[in-house]
């Protein structure tokens, strides 16, 4: 008997999958690979059911010779082990984002004369509706909220990008890159106080009120499914902070990060160039505990951000605060630095990890931008936030366009730099 292999990356078996299995049976014994959670979230979306449940789904189809675990999006490893005569897949992988996968399969099969079978992809209203339903489910507060904690256990480092609108949310949601034979995408989104304020033409001094900040979250949530980490500035008065926690948790936000500053908050990247006051350990711990007490689910995280290195109070102060904040109930620690050299961040991580192996560490490598995600992960960092790069890349591009329109008195000169209207329309899906 010939061996036919297909891999499923789905939470629901629909007529399209059954069609593939039925076609496969015509060629020989059918082996089905199930993509692991880790592989699935790098390339597609978060699974809405567990890996074991996905295996059960496939078992129920019947007539399958064996079920295999595929732990990489690319097939070459599994092809080497199984040596199937055929790999069967919908023909939608002949172009677009799936094409590198097909190329990888083709190369692996060519080694020994295996063949690809491209089955016409099932485009039906029902299949489209199932896809839409999965996305809806992922966007629901109870599913979205817990996803950050799930990602922390699945990802070596949770990659987070700043968003401040529906459009930037779509970029975070949809950008998937194939590079060096690996797919990757962002895991989570950061609602930055700096960029949310900047988008409104306001300074980053807790001037934009919570109602407006929540409106931004809503705009992002409307069009995305990824989890959200909210920049809560100082958290404000303890009496107000508890209301913020309650609202964010209800909305389906996964975490709030609050920084240990008081008085008029200024952006940390100013450091000591402006007057900034650090909160006392006692008061900040009280704020953390109050937030933890009001929280209704274990899914929602309150992360404490330490400004000691920004304010040049020293490593010992940073570490003492980290331990105190964790004791007060913080679900994570964000350590910030405005140095170009990542060394003080790494020193903090090493010292903190000596006594605390599990509390997630968050960093924002805006200044110390030479360090890679792998290096951060190796040093015990769990979440990396690219906190402002989308805003900072858009602004000079828009400004240059405005300058050139004024200079040339027409739009022709700027046109080659612009996103074609067709692409903007396809970015935004209609229901
Ligand atoms: C933000 O993005 O608003 C932050 C990170 O708080 S930083 O600007 O680096 O302080
Ligand atoms: Mg901020």
């Amino acid at each position: 008997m010939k061996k036919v292999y297909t891999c499923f990356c789905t939470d629901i078996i629909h007529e399209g999958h059954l069609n593939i299995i039925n076609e496969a049976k015509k060629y020989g014994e059918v082996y089905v690979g199930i993509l692991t959670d880790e592989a699935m979230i790098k390339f597609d979306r978060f699974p809405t059911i567990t890996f074991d449940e996905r295996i059960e789904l496939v078992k129920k189809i019947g007539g399958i010779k064996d079920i295999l675990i595929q732990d990489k999006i690319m097939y070459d490893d599994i092809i080497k082990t199984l040596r199937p005569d055929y790999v069967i897949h919908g023909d939608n992988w002949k172009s677009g984002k799936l094409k590198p996968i097909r190329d990888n399969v083709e190369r692996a099969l060519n080694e020994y004369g295996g063949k690809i079978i491209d089955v016409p992809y099932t485009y039906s209203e029902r299949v489209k509706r199932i896809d839409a339903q999965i996305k809806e489910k992922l966007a629901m507060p109870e599913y979205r909220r817990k996803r950050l904690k799930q990602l922390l256990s699945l990802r070596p480092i949770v990659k987070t990008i700043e968003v401040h609108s529906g459009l930037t949310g779509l970029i975070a949601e949809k950008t998937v890159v194939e590079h060096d034979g690996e797919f990757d995408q962002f895991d989570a989104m950061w609602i930055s106080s700096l960029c949310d304020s900047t988008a409104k033409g306001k300074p980053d001094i807790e001037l934009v009120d919570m109602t407006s900040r929540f409106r931004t979250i809503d705009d992002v949530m409307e069009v995305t499914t990824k989890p959200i980490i909210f920049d809560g500035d100082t958290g404000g008065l303890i009496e107000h902070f508890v209301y913020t926690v309650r609202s964010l948790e209800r909305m389906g936000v996964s975490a709030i990060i609050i920084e240990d500053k008081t008085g008029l908050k200024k952006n940390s990247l100013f450091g000591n160039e402006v007057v900034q006051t650090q909160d006392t350990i006692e008061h900040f711990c009280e704020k953390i505990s109050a937030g933890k007490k009001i929280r209704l689910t274990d899914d929602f995280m309150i992360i404490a951000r330490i400004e000691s290195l920004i304010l040049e109070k020293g490593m010992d102060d940073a570490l003492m605060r980290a331990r105190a904040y964790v004791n007060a109930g913080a679900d994570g620690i964000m350590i910030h630095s405005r140095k170009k050299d990542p060394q003080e961040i790494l020193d903090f991580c090493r010292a903190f990890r000596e006594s605390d192996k599990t509390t997630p560490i968050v960093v924002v490598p805006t200044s110390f931008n030479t360090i890679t995600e792998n290096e951060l992960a190796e040093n015990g960092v769990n979440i990396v936030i690219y906190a402002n790069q989308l805003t900072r890349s858009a602004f000079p591009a828009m400004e240059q366009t405005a300058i050139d329109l004024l200079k040339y008195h027409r739009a022709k000169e700027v046109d080659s730099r612009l996103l074609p209207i067709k692409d903007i329309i396809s970015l935004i899906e209609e229901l």
Side-chain angles (χ1 to χ4, degrees):
M1 277 295 252
K2 302 268 189 198
K3 285 184 190 169
V4 193
Y5 180 68
T6 189
C7 178
F8 282 175
C9 167
T10 186
D11 303 345
I12 296 178
I13 302 291
H14 55 58
E15 64 220 55
H17 304 109
L18 296 178
N19 182 36
I20 288 199
I21 297 285
N22 288 336
E23 277 301 310
K25 283 178 183 166
K26 294 180 190 163
Y27 291 85
E29 286 178 331
V30 183
Y31 293 77
V32 179
I34 310 288
L35 211 55
T36 57
D37 289 355
E38 287 89 338
M40 201 163 154
I41 57 178
K42 272 173 118 174
F43 144 80
D44 195 26
R45 53 172 173 72
F46 208 90
T48 56
I49 57 173
T50 65
F51 181 69
D52 291 340
E53 285 166 339
R54 294 204 298 283
I55 290 183
E56 283 310 308
L57 275 184
V58 173
K59 272 191 188 158
K60 277 198 199 124
I61 298 174
I64 287 162
K65 175 76 180 164
D66 203 3
I67 293 176
L68 310 171
I69 298 170
Q70 185 171 327
D71 60 7
K72 288 206 189 105
I73 299 143
M74 295 302 183
Y75 287 46
D76 46 335
D77 281 353
I78 207 150
I79 288 176
K80 262 187 214 125
T81 321
L82 181 68
R83 288 182 75 84
D85 300 280
Y86 302 101
V87 170
I88 186 164
H89 193 282
D91 63 1
N92 56 326
W93 72 347
K94 286 170 115 175
S95 60
K97 86 168 188 180
L98 301 181
K99 179 145 188 321
I101 305 178
R102 189 182 186 280
D103 293 344
N104 172 274
V105 171
E106 199 165 40
R107 273 193 304 274
L109 290 175
N110 279 347
E111 298 272 314
Y112 58 90
K115 295 249 168 332
I116 290 184
I117 305 165
D118 299 303
V119 181
Y121 186 76
T122 309
Y123 289 101
S124 75
E125 271 311 306
R126 213 181 87 81
V127 169
K128 250 173 81 182
R129 212 170 49 243
I130 287 173
D131 258 2
Q133 276 167 356
I134 290 177
K135 276 199 199 133
E136 283 297 314
K137 188 171 169 188
L138 287 171
M140 287 296 155
E142 62 274 29
Y143 286 100
R144 193 195 298 247
R145 194 192 301 116
K146 66 181 173 202
R147 203 151 331 117
L148 184 62
K149 280 206 168 166
Q150 293 173 320
L151 282 162
L152 279 166
S153 64
L154 286 169
R155 284 294 240 170
I157 188 160
V158 174
K159 289 193 273 259
T160 308
I161 187 161
E162 175 268 323
V163 302
H164 55 268
S165 60
L167 187 61
T168 49
L170 282 177
I171 291 175
E173 181 79 10
K174 296 194 170 195
T175 309
V176 182
V177 165
E178 188 264 332
H179 183 64
D180 281 347
E182 280 265 13
F183 278 88
D184 218 349
Q185 61 176 314
F186 290 102
D187 301 300
M189 301 179 286
W190 166 244
I191 309 274
S192 148
S193 68
L194 173 67
C195 298
D196 201 4
S197 307
T198 304
K200 292 168 172 59
K202 298 274 170 63
D204 181 20
I205 53 171
E206 291 187 282
L207 173 66
V208 178
D209 67 22
M210 276 301 163
T211 311
S212 170
R213 304 280 320 274
F214 290 174
R215 184 66 235 160
T216 303
I217 296 177
D218 234 7
D219 286 345
V220 170
M221 282 187 158
E222 283 262 4
V223 294
T224 62
T225 64
K226 292 186 180 183
I228 290 177
I229 305 174
F230 181 73
D231 176 358
D233 287 318
T234 65
L237 296 172
I238 293 178
E239 293 83 345
H240 294 178
F241 178 58
V242 288
Y243 283 90
T244 306
V245 167
R246 180 56 60 81
S247 303
L248 291 171
E249 191 177 18
R250 177 175 41 76
M251 290 168 85
V253 168
S254 303
I256 183 172
I257 300 188
I258 50 169
E259 56 196 275
D260 56 0
K261 287 202 289 230
T262 51
L264 179 62
K265 190 220 79 154
K266 300 271 177 71
N267 185 274
S268 298
L269 300 175
F270 285 122
N272 280 333
E273 288 161 28
V274 292
V275 178
Q276 310 213 47
T277 327
Q278 202 170 14
D279 203 350
T280 62
I281 295 183
E282 295 69 30
H283 185 258
F284 198 64
C285 284
E286 230 181 278
K287 200 180 280 189
I288 295 165
S289 307
K292 284 300 290 276
K293 228 178 268 159
I294 206 80
R295 193 184 71 152
L296 292 173
T297 68
D298 276 349
D299 305 334
F300 186 78
M301 300 172 75
I302 296 177
I303 299 173
R305 163 171 167 177
I306 296 164
E307 293 289 291
S308 305
L309 303 180
I310 292 278
L311 301 173
E312 293 169 22
K313 298 279 176 62
M315 189 59 71
D316 289 344
D317 185 75
L319 288 163
M320 181 172 62
R321 284 174 178 269
R323 289 176 197 126
Y325 299 163
V326 172
N327 284 338
D331 301 294
I333 291 293
M334 173 180 153
I335 183 69
H336 208 14
S337 163
R338 61 195 285 263
K339 296 233 165 93
K340 279 212 148 304
D341 186 340
Q343 197 53 49
E344 68 175 4
I345 288 285
L346 299 182
D347 290 346
F348 173 91
C349 293
R350 193 173 316 114
F352 180 69
R353 281 280 174 255
E354 272 169 23
S355 59
D356 186 329
K357 302 273 182 263
T358 53
T359 304
I361 301 179
V362 184
V363 300
V364 177
T366 303
S367 302
F368 47 100
N369 56 20
T370 51
I371 193 150
T372 63
E373 291 158 3
N374 278 347
E375 287 167 314
L376 288 171
E378 278 161 16
N379 282 280
V381 173
N382 306 84
I383 301 179
V384 57
I385 301 179
Y386 297 103
N388 49 46
Q389 285 78 5
L390 280 189
T391 294
R392 285 166 59 210
S393 57
F395 186 82
M398 290 196 286
E399 193 180 40
Q400 193 56 52
T401 298
I403 289 170
D404 287 348
L405 287 171
L406 284 172
K407 214 153 101 185
Y408 297 108
H409 304 289
R410 63 176 190 181
K412 180 178 181 298
E413 283 72 16
V414 302
D415 210 65
S416 62
R417 303 198 298 260
L418 306 183
L419 181 67
I421 289 292
K422 178 171 74 46
D423 293 1
I424 263 244
I425 292 168
S426 62
L427 185 68
I428 297 165
E429 284 162 26
E430 287 184 29
L431 284 181

